[in-house]
Amino acid sequence: MVAPRIPLNFFGMPFGLAGLAELWVTAGRQGHAPDTVADVLLAVAALVWLSTLVGYLRYVAGGRGRLMADLTDTVAGPFASLALITPMLLAAQGLAPHAESAGRIVVDVFIVLTVLLGGWLTGQWIYGPLVLDHLHPGYFLPTVAGGLLAAASAAEVGQQRLAQVMLGLGLVCWLILGSMILARLLFRPRLATPLVPTLAIEVAPAAVASLAYFAIDGDRVDAFAAGLAGYGLLMVLAQLRLLPLFRSLKFTPSTWSFTFSWAAVGAVTLHWIESGRPGGHLTYTYLVLAAVSALVGAVAVRTLIALGRRQLLPKPPPQAAGSAADNVCGDDIRPASPPALILEGDLLPAGPRPT
């Protein structure tokens, strides 16, 4: 039996669940939610990650060159980092509190792997070279999300100096990649429809940087944390203008791009609420928990429906197995010369900007 193709962006599913778990971990540490909820979510995220990893390994083992084709894919490649970032988060949040030494070892192993992959992908993008129109917010994942979440994870297991190093890695990469990605979004044709959900990732860097800084600096809201919040607020408000575009989307695996991004925003919001404790702060806390949980839950339910209908996995390409056509993302996106992307075998122009 031929193993089905598991696109790299499927790792966004356990990543989103891990983000929701982190939100509930934050609420639990503040005394506003039972720890059991976070523990269950962490366990579910771990099971989904393991299932996705096994499926992906079966797929790449079934055809020569499939792994390298995925890693060098200028659209799908950045999502490979989620296979390493997710277990790092799960170890820091779920394993370390119960088995400190084991948790630290697992965190360190996946930090090393995350940095190695981020470095390799950065070299690949230089070697490539990249086409500007293939750039999308998913490019934040290997080094920006990888570095900042490595910083938070290292701080969680008591490795402050390592956390500071990873914070620097993530912040500098955010500064460089953020300007490049935003310039592409502003001045080039709109992203192809299956990649539009990745626009939600634009809210994540400031939120993840805030979480890393809080983990390192003991949850203090100071001038640096306030500066991160300022840019984060701008990106959150920018999403409001994108709502008409988001409402027009059909469900695809890329829809999971919304989950971790907004879970991170929610977790930072809980930190700020707890720091200021405004009137009715408990109400605000529970509203944030409910809103993010409803979002992730709705995406998870829609995923299960698609899985039950056998609509989740992409259709097999018409070419022979193991050919260049396997080099795709979860929504059958293949890189092509700008301004076009190939979607499900048809040549489609990148989306025009609305007038």
Side-chain angles (χ1 to χ4, degrees):
M1 181 178 178
V2 177
R5 179 168 60 83
I6 305 295
L8 286 172
N9 66 346
F10 274 39
F11 286 102
M13 300 177 194
F15 187 56
L17 293 170
L20 179 61
E22 183 168 4
L23 175 70
W24 281 90
V25 166
T26 301
R29 289 176 177 175
Q30 294 172 351
H32 305 318
D35 294 335
T36 306
V37 177
D39 290 340
V40 170
L41 289 170
L42 288 165
V44 171
L47 287 173
V48 174
W49 172 79
L50 183 59
S51 300
T52 306
L53 180 65
V54 170
Y56 182 73
L57 292 177
R58 286 183 60 202
Y59 162 68
V60 297
R64 184 178 179 182
R66 287 180 174 180
L67 177 60
M68 185 57 66
D70 276 352
L71 292 178
T72 56
D73 189 310
T74 57
V75 175
F79 295 97
S81 59
L82 298 182
L84 305 177
I85 296 172
T86 301
M88 179 175 66
L89 288 177
L90 297 177
Q93 300 287 349
L95 180 59
H98 305 288
E100 183 177 354
S101 297
R104 184 181 297 112
I105 291 171
V106 175
V107 166
D108 287 350
V109 167
F110 280 103
I111 286 177
V112 170
L113 293 175
T114 297
V115 173
L116 289 174
L117 179 60
W120 188 90
L121 286 172
T122 300
Q124 171 62 27
W125 299 337
I126 296 170
Y127 180 83
L130 285 177
V131 174
L132 182 61
D133 284 4
H134 293 169
L135 205 63
H136 57 78
Y139 274 74
F140 281 129
L141 297 174
T143 54
V144 180
L148 296 175
L149 291 173
S153 298
E156 288 285 346
V157 297
Q159 296 182 318
Q160 288 294 106
R161 188 64 69 194
L162 176 60
Q164 292 164 356
V165 171
M166 292 297 100
L167 180 66
L169 186 156
L171 289 176
V172 174
C173 290
W174 176 24
L175 178 66
I176 297 171
L177 286 172
S179 59
M180 295 167 59
I181 292 170
L182 194 57
R184 180 263 178 268
L185 295 176
L186 290 174
F187 300 114
R188 297 300 301 161
R190 200 165 70 190
L191 293 173
T193 300
L195 282 172
V196 167
T198 66
L199 292 172
I201 299 175
E202 284 290 321
V203 305
V208 177
S210 297
L211 293 174
Y213 185 66
F214 287 144
I216 292 171
D217 205 41
D219 287 337
R220 287 194 311 120
V221 175
D222 56 14
F224 186 70
L228 291 173
Y231 183 76
L233 177 62
L234 175 66
M235 289 294 101
V236 167
L237 294 176
Q239 297 283 305
L240 298 178
R241 181 62 184 89
L242 297 175
L243 286 177
L245 184 59
F246 291 154
R247 284 201 300 265
S248 68
L249 297 174
K250 297 180 180 179
F251 172 81
T252 68
S254 292
T255 305
W256 280 90
S257 298
F258 290 96
T259 57
F260 185 89
S261 301
W262 285 103
V265 171
V268 172
T269 302
L270 293 190
H271 281 283
W272 274 85
I273 292 172
E274 187 67 13
S275 175
R277 284 184 167 262
H281 66 279
L282 286 178
T283 300
Y284 301 143
T285 295
Y286 294 134
L287 284 174
V288 170
L289 285 171
V292 177
S293 298
L295 170 65
V296 179
V299 175
V301 169
R302 186 62 184 84
T303 302
L304 292 174
I305 292 173
L307 182 62
R309 295 175 178 174
R310 298 186 178 182
Q311 298 171 340
L312 186 62
L313 294 173
K315 298 176 182 178
Q319 291 87 344
S323 69
D326 285 337
N327 188 15
V328 295
C329 192
D331 307 305
D332 277 352
I333 306 166
R334 303 177 184 90
S337 298
L341 294 174
I342 299 176
L343 176 62
E344 296 182 356
D346 296 322
L347 190 64
L348 300 179
R353 291 189 177 276
T355 57

